[in-house]
């Protein structure tokens, strides 16, 4: 299976990340659509921009990379989103996500439902649900999707446990980092902070079939009701970690849609996530050759090849 006939709809924010190195296109669902598209899986983003220069620039970015702007609404009352991203200790990124912005007001359109009926997967996150208007649209669309992948992506202070719970209820699969797992399973009573206890709780409470956990230097794990796969982290010289988790998710999904094994899904996801941290911003350009070279270098490092 080569994934040619598969297609994914991503719902949520599209924005400019204002980084110390300059402004870069971003927004978790847009980043996922970007990487899927680069990896040869047809994808589209449903979002909303302002009727302004920043919005027109985002539209041209999408046009240039071959992502459709057909499902990007234009808001005449709210500006295109900008996020101030600062890099803290240990390469941790701190996001100041200004509100309200155009993507807080995505309106339901009947054609989105048609789009979803033909899509293999709907990808969504929690940030888009901070405002009632986009949240209502998302909740309506969740009912139409064939398969729902929730990228938990908690961005304080833009979420509440009640809304995250609602989004969890709808999910067939979720991706979250270890801190998010501790937080979300903590709301359900997991006081130990233990990964396996947390996973068990989410599986039992929500009946979620697939859970992907990223754990920084501890690598990543993929859980189904009767299996668990682990993959170690790849060590890199980090430029910035913006969008690394989003590229991880896109690579994981691309492999899954191609019918690859769990180990291949995790391996490729970890590799692309690591590669993106060596570049600036969430959507760097790259070719198959760039990824091959990166994987090869990492392999040589792992066997401690010395010239
Ligand atoms: O979506 C919220 C923020 O998260 C990112 O997607 C990275 O994961 C940024 O591009 C964006 O500013």
């Amino acid at each position: 299976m080569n994934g040619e006939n598969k297609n994914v709809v991503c719902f949520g924010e599209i924005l400019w990340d204002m980084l110390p190195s300059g402004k870069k296109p971003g927004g978790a669902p847009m980043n996922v659509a970007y990487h899927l598209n680069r990896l040869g899986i047809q994808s589209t983003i449903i979002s909303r921009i302002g009727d302004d220069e920043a919005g027109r620039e985002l539209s041209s970015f999408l046009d240039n990379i071959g992502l459709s702007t057909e499902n990007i609404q234009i808001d005449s009352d709210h500006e295109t989103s900008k996020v101030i991203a600062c890099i803290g200790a240990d390469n941790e990124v701190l996001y100041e996500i200004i509100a309200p912005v155009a993507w807080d007001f995505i309106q339901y359109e009947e054609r989105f439902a048609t789009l979803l009926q033909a899509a293999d997967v709907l990808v969504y996150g929690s940030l888009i649900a901070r405002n009632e208007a986009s949240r209502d649209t998302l909740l309506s669309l969740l009912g139409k999707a064939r398969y729902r992948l929730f990228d938990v992506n908690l961005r304080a202070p833009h979420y509440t446990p009640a809304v995250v719970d609602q989004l969890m209820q709808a999910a067939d699969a979720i991706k979250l980092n270890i801190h998010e797992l501790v937080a979300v399973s903590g709301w359900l009573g997991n006081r130990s902070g233990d990964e396996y206890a947390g996973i068990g709780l989410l599986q039992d409470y929500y009946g979620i079939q697939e859970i992907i956990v990223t754990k920084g230097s501890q690598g990543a794990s993929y859980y189904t009701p009767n299996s668990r796969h682990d993959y170690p982290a790849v060590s890199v010289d980090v430029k910035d970690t913006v969008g690394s988790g989003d590229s991880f998710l896109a690579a994981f999904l691309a492999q899954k849609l191609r019918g690859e094994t769990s180990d291949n899904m995790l391996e490729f996801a970890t590799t692309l996530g690591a590669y993106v941290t060596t570049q600036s911003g969430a959507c760097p350009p790259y070719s198959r050759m760039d990824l091959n070279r990166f994987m090869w270098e990492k392999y040589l490092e792992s066997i401690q090849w010395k010239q």
Side-chain angles (χ1 to χ4, degrees), residues 12 17-18 47 76 93 98 127 166 169 178 201 207-208 233 296:
D17 277 322
M18 313 304 281
S47 191
S76 45
V93 189
I98 297 160
L127 180 58
Q166 221 176 352
Q169 304 269 6
I178 190 73
L201 210 52
I208 296 172
W296 185 235

Side-chain angles (χ1 to χ4, degrees), residues 12-268:
E13 64 274 12
I14 180 169
L15 50 89
W16 285 107
D17 277 322
M18 313 304 281
L19 292 159
S21 56
K23 74 174 200 200
K24 306 274 180 201
M30 196 286 285
N31 300 339
V32 173
Y34 170 88
H35 289 286
L36 283 171
N37 184 50
R38 235 172 219 282
L39 299 174
I41 301 286
Q42 204 188 318
S43 55
T44 191
I45 166 96
I46 298 178
S47 191
R48 194 171 175 98
I49 52 175
D51 186 6
D52 49 26
E53 199 42 40
R56 282 183 280 280
E57 283 174 5
L58 278 177
S59 269
S60 321
F61 167 77
L62 294 179
D63 277 341
N64 290 338
I65 57 168
L67 274 180
S68 167
T69 52
E70 216 178 317
N71 303 306
I72 307 283
Q73 300 172 341
I74 299 183
D75 191 309
S76 45
D77 297 326
H78 301 94
E79 288 181 4
T80 297
S81 170
K82 287 189 184 128
V83 168
I84 322 286
C86 299
I87 316 292
D90 292 333
N91 292 315
E92 193 200 348
V93 189
L94 306 165
Y95 297 99
E96 189 193 328
I97 306 173
I98 297 160
V101 290
W103 55 250
D104 283 311
F105 300 91
I106 303 175
Q107 303 299 307
Y108 181 83
E109 291 183 45
E110 208 46 57
R111 68 200 177 89
F112 294 161
T114 315
L115 204 66
L116 281 172
Q117 276 142 20
D120 295 279
V121 182
L122 168 65
V123 176
Y124 62 101
S126 60
L127 180 58
I128 198 62
R130 73 177 176 182
N131 188 52
E132 205 183 352
S134 292
R135 182 165 69 242
D136 284 351
T137 303
L138 174 59
L139 292 174
S140 309
L141 292 180
L142 284 169
K144 320 272 179 198
R146 286 162 49 194
Y147 193 85
R148 292 149 281 248
L149 172 51
F150 178 30
D151 181 3
V152 176
N153 224 358
L154 299 179
R155 297 276 184 247
H158 303 280
Y159 62 87
T160 60
V163 168
V164 174
D165 173 70
Q166 221 176 352
L167 301 178
M168 284 281 190
Q169 304 269 6
D172 295 292
I174 60 168
K175 180 230 150 206
L176 72 188
N177 67 35
I178 190 73
H179 308 295
E180 292 165 340
L181 175 64
V182 170
V184 174
S185 61
W187 300 333
L188 296 179
N190 176 28
R191 298 279 162 254
S192 69
D194 177 66
E195 178 180 341
Y196 310 119
I199 294 287
L201 210 52
L202 296 190
Q203 285 173 330
D204 292 348
Y205 190 82
Y206 293 113
I208 296 172
Q209 295 299 303
E210 296 175 84
I211 304 183
I212 311 152
V213 190
T214 56
K215 300 179 275 189
S217 62
Q218 300 304 305
S221 299
Y222 169 51
Y223 294 86
T224 68
N226 42 31
S227 72
R228 170 185 150 202
H229 297 262
D230 300 313
Y231 199 81
V234 174
S235 69
V236 281
D237 291 329
V238 174
K239 204 163 248 169
D240 68 59
T241 61
V242 179
S244 161
D246 308 333
S247 58
F248 175 103
L249 183 61
F252 185 94
L253 184 53
Q255 295 295 75
K256 181 176 160 64
L257 291 172
R258 291 195 165 106
E260 290 287 344
T261 63
S262 302
D263 289 334
N264 286 349
M265 297 193 278
L266 274 180
E267 179 182 19
F268 191 48

